[in-house]
Amino acid sequence: MHSSKLQLIARRLIGALPSLFAVILVTFLIMRILPGDPAAFFAGAAATPEAVEEVRVKLGLDRSLPAQFWDYLTDLAQGDLGQSFTTGQPVLQELVDRLPASLELSALGLLLAVMVGLPLGVLAATRPNSFADHACRLLTTTGVCLPTFFTGLVLIYVFYYLLGWAPAPLGRLDLFLTAPERITGFYLIDSLLAGDLEVFWASFTQLLMPAITLGLFALAPLARMTRASLLGVLGSDYIRTATASGLSRTTVLYRYALRNALLPVVNTMGMVFSYLLGINVLVEKVFAWPGVGSYALEALIASDYAPVQGFVLAMALLYLLLNLSVDLVNTLLDPRLEKNA
Amino acid sequence: MKKFFKPTQEWQHLLLENPLTLLAIGLFILILFTALFGPLLVPFDPLESNTANALQPPSAEYWFGTDQLGRDIFSRVIVGTRLDLAIALAAVLLAAGLGTTLGLYAGFYGGHLERWIGRGTDIIMAFPLFVLAMAIVAALGNTVANVVYASAIINLPFYIRLIRSESAVVKSAGFIEAARLCGNANPRLIWAQVFPNVLPPLVVQMSLNMGWAMLNAASLSFIGLGIRPPTPEWGIMVADGAQYIVSGQWWVAVFPGLALTLVVLCFNLLGDSLRDIIDPRRRT
C-alpha cells in the first residue's frame, strides 16, 4: 500500500471526529429538551417539592447545560450510558446483550438484498427491455412503496398461517430449543461453533422471514443504482474500445464495466444503511425480535429515557462507523482518489 | 427548418410512452376525492364500536370486515386518508419551504453561510433518519404536530442540498448579472430570478418526497408514536391488526396496509412522471 493511500485513510479517520462530536452533542441536547421536568418525573407523583429538588441535585440537573454535557461526556468515556429504571440494568450492558440479534438480522437482510439486487441490476442493464429489465423496474418501483411493517405481516400470513412453512414469528429461537452458548452473540455462528446443527437450522429459519422483509426494502435502491450506473458505464468510450479490441463480452462486462459501475453502488450503501437501521425497529416489532430496536421501543412506551438515548447514540455511532468503512472501501477500490490526495 | 412538436402532441407522446402516468393521475384524483369527501360518504361511524360484531370477515355489509372492537374497517380506511395525507403534506411543505430558503441563500451567498448550513445538514444526515425522527418525537412529546416537525426535519437536508447546488449554478448565469446591473438588490435577485429557476427540480423532489413522508408518518404511528388510538389512522390500524394476523384474521391489517401502499405508489409514480416531463435528462 502506498503512503499517500495511508495518508488518505488517516485523513478520513480524523475527518470523522467532528461528526462523532456532533452526534454526541445532538443526542445529549435532544434528550435534555424533554417536555416536563425529569426530576419531578423520577421523584414520582407523590413527591414533595423538597424531594424533587433533592432528585434534581442527585441527577445533576441543577447545573448549567455545559456542565451537564461535560458530565455526560465523562460518563460516556467510562462506558456509562445510565440505567434503565424499568429493568434496573445498566443501559450499556443491555444494548451489548441485544445488539448481536439486531446485527445478525440486518446483516442477513442486506446480504439477501445484495445477492438479488446486484445480479438483477446487471441483468436489467445488459438486456434492456427484456423480462429481467421489466422485473427490475417493477421491483424497484414497488419495493420502495411497501411499508416494511406491512410486508412483514403479509409474509407472516402467507408463510406461517396459510402455508405453515415458516416458524412462529416470535423471537430468535423456538421455545423448546436452548440458545447456543454465547461467544459472539450471533446464533448462527455460535451454534456452528458449538456444532449444534439443529439449533443452527432453527435459528436460520427463524431469521429468514424478518431478513427477507428487510431485504425487500434494501433491494430497490441497490438494483436501481446498479442498473443506472452500469448503463452509464456501458455507454462509455473505454468499453467501446475494449469491445472493439475483440475482448469477449464476459471480460468486458465483469473485468471493466462492473468494477467501475460498482463504485457509485458502494456509495449508495451509506443511504441504505441509514434506512436499514431505522427499519430494523419496525421489523423487530413485527417479529417480536429481541434486538436493540424493540428494547428502545419498550423503553419509549414506558417513558424510560436513558435506554432511548443510549439506543439513538448507539445507532448513530454504528451508522458513522458503517459510513466510514464505506469510505475506506472506496479509497481502497478507487485508484483515482489517490491522485487527488 | 426543424419540425417542432405542438405541446399537446408532446403530452400525448409522454402519456403513451408511459401508461403508468395515466394510472397515477387517476389514482391521485381518487385519493384527493377520498381525502376531501370520504368522511361524508362512509357507511358507518369509524369510531362506533360493536363488540358483538367483532372480527367479521369482509362481507356485503362490511366491505373490508370489522376489527377487534367491531368497527367497520372500510369506513376507518376511508376516513384515515385525510389525516395521513395532511401530515405528509404539512411535513413536505414545511421541509420544502425552510429547505428552499436555506438552500437559496447558501447557494447564492456561498462563504461562511454556506459552510454553516452545510454543517447543519451534515449533522442531521449523520443519524439514521428514522431513528432521529423517533428521538425527536420522543423528546418533543407524543403529538401529531411533533410527528410533522420530526418528518420535516429529517427531510430538510435533501431540499437544502438540492436547492443549494441548483442556485449555485444559476447565480452565475448572464441574466442574473443583467438583473443586478438593472439595480436589483440581492434578496430580490434571489426570490425573483433564482427561485423561479429552481422550481422544476423542487416540484419533482416534493412529489417524490410525499410518498416517503407518508411512509414515515405511518411507521411512527405503527410503533405507537404521534397519533393515538382510537383515531382512524393507517399505521395504528396495521398495528392493531398485527396480533390477529397469526390467527388468520388478515383483513384487519391488510386493508389499511394496502391503502398506504397504493397512495405511496401513486406519489412515486407521479414524481417519476413529473421528472420525465420537467427534466428529461434525469430519466433512468
Side-chain angles (χ1 to χ4, degrees):
Chain A
M1 200 183 291
H2 302 288
S3 62
S4 64
K5 209 151 234 193
L6 280 177
Q7 263 177 3
L8 204 60
I9 291 173
R11 199 178 301 163
R12 283 272 147 81
L13 287 174
I14 293 167
L17 288 179
S19 328
L20 179 69
F21 182 76
V23 158
I24 295 175
L25 180 64
V26 171
T27 316
F28 167 78
L29 286 177
I30 287 180
M31 289 299 152
R32 277 295 173 278
I33 51 171
L34 288 176
D37 185 351
F41 183 78
F42 280 108
T48 58
E50 291 80 47
V52 172
E53 208 48 47
E54 201 174 302
V55 174
R56 194 188 313 278
V57 173
K58 201 175 134 216
L59 291 172
L61 293 172
D62 57 329
R63 313 208 297 152
S64 69
L65 212 56
Q68 286 187 39
F69 183 54
W70 180 249
D71 287 349
Y72 182 59
L73 281 181
T74 43
D75 282 349
L76 271 187
Q78 294 160 8
D80 180 4
L81 290 174
Q83 280 194 353
S84 155
F85 76 81
T86 41
T87 61
Q89 297 290 314
V91 171
L92 183 71
Q93 187 55 45
E94 290 197 283
L95 282 177
V96 169
D97 283 346
R98 282 163 166 257
L99 199 57
S102 297
L103 288 182
E104 194 172 37
L105 176 59
S106 305
L108 192 66
L110 191 65
L111 188 72
L112 286 174
V114 170
M115 271 169 31
V116 179
L118 285 191
L120 194 64
V122 171
L123 270 179
T126 47
R127 293 175 186 74
N129 285 321
S130 67
F131 172 72
D133 192 14
H134 293 305
C136 177
R137 193 166 305 141
L138 186 75
L139 257 177
T140 51
T141 351
T142 50
V144 286
C145 303
L146 289 167
T148 322
F149 49 89
F150 178 57
T151 339
L153 289 174
V154 171
L155 287 179
I156 290 176
Y157 181 69
V158 174
F159 292 103
Y160 168 69
Y161 181 76
L162 284 185
L163 298 172
W165 294 353
L170 295 168
R172 299 177 77 183
L173 206 55
D174 195 287
L175 283 175
F176 299 106
L177 291 169
T178 42
E181 191 191 346
R182 185 184 172 109
I183 302 165
T184 59
F186 294 88
Y187 279 8
L188 289 183
I189 298 176
D190 286 355
S191 60
L192 279 187
L193 288 177
D196 192 342
L197 285 179
E198 190 194 7
V199 170
F200 174 80
W201 182 246
S203 57
F204 178 71
T205 49
Q206 206 78 35
L207 249 174
L208 210 51
M209 267 210 303
I212 290 175
T213 312
L214 268 180
L216 272 177
F217 196 87
L219 185 75
L222 278 177
R224 191 176 191 145
M225 199 62 206
T226 310
R227 176 178 169 275
S229 148
L230 190 58
L231 271 179
V233 168
L234 284 175
S236 62
D237 287 344
Y238 62 88
I239 294 298
R240 196 188 50 188
T241 310
T243 317
S245 310
L247 290 174
S248 77
R249 205 181 137 81
T250 351
T251 320
V252 172
L253 184 61
Y254 291 105
R255 188 175 289 175
Y256 296 97
L258 199 57
R259 268 179 75 175
N260 283 295
L262 280 183
L263 286 171
V265 178
V266 173
N267 275 328
T268 45
M269 291 300 268
M271 212 57 229
V272 173
F273 286 138
S274 169
Y275 292 140
L276 273 186
L277 291 177
I279 276 167
N280 232 345
V281 181
L282 301 172
V283 175
E284 282 180 18
K285 180 173 154 110
V286 170
F287 289 90
W289 199 256
V292 285
S294 47
Y295 173 61
L297 274 187
E298 283 157 26
L300 205 56
I301 284 153
S303 301
D304 184 0
Y305 288 106
V308 179
Q309 187 174 27
F311 166 75
V312 174
L313 189 66
M315 288 302 104
L317 293 183
L318 194 61
Y319 182 46
L320 195 75
L321 214 65
L322 287 168
N323 269 335
L324 195 64
S325 34
V326 166
D327 261 358
L328 292 181
V329 167
N330 249 353
T331 317
L332 295 177
L333 281 181
D334 194 345
R336 282 169 299 189
L337 285 176
E338 209 169 322
K339 292 212 180 91
N340 300 332
Chain B
M1 183 84 188
K2 202 174 163 189
K3 196 177 159 230
F4 288 98
F5 285 114
K6 272 190 268 172
T8 46
Q9 280 175 322
E10 196 193 335
W11 280 92
Q12 264 174 12
H13 167 73
L14 280 167
L15 287 180
L16 283 179
E17 190 188 43
N18 195 354
L20 285 177
T21 308
L22 262 183
L23 180 79
I25 293 173
L27 261 178
F28 181 66
I29 294 171
L30 182 73
I31 293 164
L32 221 53
F33 180 81
T34 313
L36 289 176
F37 304 110
L40 303 173
L41 301 174
V42 290
F44 293 92
D45 179 352
L47 295 178
E48 186 193 277
S49 57
N50 175 6
T51 37
N53 227 351
L55 292 173
Q56 295 297 312
S59 61
E61 194 186 2
Y62 301 104
W63 290 0
F64 290 175
T66 61
D67 67 5
Q68 71 279 13
L69 296 175
R71 296 172 296 195
D72 177 42
I73 294 176
F74 177 70
S75 304
R76 288 173 67 77
V77 168
I78 295 290
V79 172
T81 315
R82 188 187 285 181
L83 182 58
D84 271 306
L85 213 58
I87 292 176
L89 192 66
V92 167
L93 286 178
L94 201 60
L98 197 59
T100 307
T101 312
L102 288 172
L104 279 174
Y105 279 84
F108 192 85
Y109 287 109
H112 282 302
L113 184 71
E114 183 177 22
R115 212 164 304 134
W116 282 109
I117 292 176
R119 257 180 222 160
T121 51
D122 285 349
I123 290 178
I124 297 177
M125 296 292 283
F127 287 88
L129 294 176
F130 186 71
V131 173
L132 184 63
M134 272 173 67
I136 293 172
V137 178
L140 291 179
N142 210 344
T143 65
V144 177
N146 290 335
V147 169
V148 172
Y149 296 142
S151 305
I153 290 174
I154 64 171
N155 283 318
L156 201 55
F158 300 100
Y159 289 98
I160 296 180
R161 286 184 178 177
L162 175 78
I163 301 301
R164 189 205 62 80
S165 63
E166 295 280 335
S167 79
V169 174
V170 175
K171 79 165 180 195
S172 48
F175 64 87
I176 301 286
E177 277 314 300
R180 194 195 303 278
L181 285 173
C182 291
N184 289 298
N186 275 337
R188 191 172 161 76
L189 285 180
I190 290 177
W191 290 106
Q193 306 295 333
V194 181
F195 176 62
N197 281 288
V198 301
L199 265 179
L202 178 66
V203 171
V204 172
Q205 173 74 18
M206 282 173 76
S207 77
L208 286 172
N209 202 200
M210 269 299 285
W212 200 58
M214 292 211 60
L215 275 184
N216 207 52
S219 303
L220 284 175
S221 51
F222 177 78
I223 59 175
L225 289 175
I227 304 144
R228 306 283 184 91
T231 315
E233 192 276 340
W234 295 340
I236 295 179
M237 293 172 71
V238 177
D240 276 347
Q243 48 190 312
Y244 300 105
I245 275 278
V246 281
S247 51
Q249 283 106 352
W250 52 272
W251 56 89
V252 187
V254 163
F255 288 112
L258 273 182
L260 179 62
T261 311
L262 210 61
V263 174
V264 178
L265 181 72
C266 169
F267 280 113
N268 284 356
L269 288 177
L270 272 186
D272 281 343
S273 315
L274 264 179
R275 178 177 46 197
D276 288 355
I277 293 167
I278 291 174
D279 190 359
R281 283 168 308 164
R282 292 203 193 148
R283 283 181 203 177
T284 48

